[in-house]
Amino acid sequence: MRFDTKIAVLLREDLEPWQRLNVTAFLVSGLGTAAPEVIGESYEDADGVGYLPMFRQPVLVFEGTKETLTAAHARVLSRALPRAVFTSDLFATGNDRDNRAAVRAVRTGELDLVGIALYGPRNAVDKVLKGARMHP
């Protein structure tokens, strides 16, 4: 099935494997709150045990250089697409309050981005991700 929209995560290529997983999990957690249409129906197994709903479409993960992330960030802002950011400062914090304070302390153009997540029309997301490559 081909979707008209795309959910994507762009990670900085120099992250450690554990950081890639952590950043991806944190980033995608915000998309469902900003764009509830990305969430599907609840799951249930054959015994009637219920499970939480998940995204209704695949999440595509990309990687790129620091410069690629900076350019993608500028493009996602100019298109006003739903987005989440993860900065290098967040690796040193241990809770949501401190995470928000760490992002708030840095001007937009000076954020040390290690990941962004975004959602929107397929062609707009593709333009934001220009220069990125699929994560191996």
Side-chain angles (χ1 to χ4, degrees):
M1 175 179 224
R2 183 171 165 91
F3 293 91
D4 293 335
T5 58
K6 186 181 271 189
I7 300 170
V9 174
L10 174 57
L11 302 171
R12 202 164 75 192
E13 64 186 2
D14 61 347
L15 296 178
E16 295 294 327
W18 73 268
Q19 291 173 316
R20 291 171 185 257
L21 295 170
N22 184 267
V23 170
T24 300
F26 269 92
L27 287 171
V28 298
S29 71
L31 291 178
T33 61
E37 68 273 13
V38 301
I39 304 296
E41 299 294 322
S42 296
Y43 287 74
E44 184 177 292
D45 66 24
D47 293 321
V49 176
Y51 303 95
L52 295 172
M54 296 185 283
F55 290 132
R56 63 179 177 82
Q57 65 189 87
V59 175
L60 302 172
V61 181
F62 297 82
E63 68 175 7
T65 63
K66 183 175 183 171
E67 295 76 22
T68 301
L69 264 104
T70 299
H73 184 244
R75 289 190 292 265
V76 76
L77 293 177
S78 73
R79 287 172 171 75
L81 296 173
R83 71 250 173 211
V85 296
F86 198 105
T87 67
S88 63
D89 296 329
L90 302 187
F91 290 125
T93 61
N95 60 73
D96 188 50
R97 184 190 72 238
D98 292 342
N99 285 350
R100 287 192 316 275
V103 173
R104 182 176 292 284
V106 181
R107 297 186 60 82
T108 304
E110 297 171 5
L111 292 170
D112 185 17
L113 297 166
V114 298
I116 60 174
L118 63 148
Y119 168 74
R122 176 178 283 284
N123 62 345
V125 172
D126 289 342
K127 288 177 182 175
V128 168
L129 296 173
K130 182 180 177 186
R133 60 190 173 278
M134 286 294 291
H135 189 281

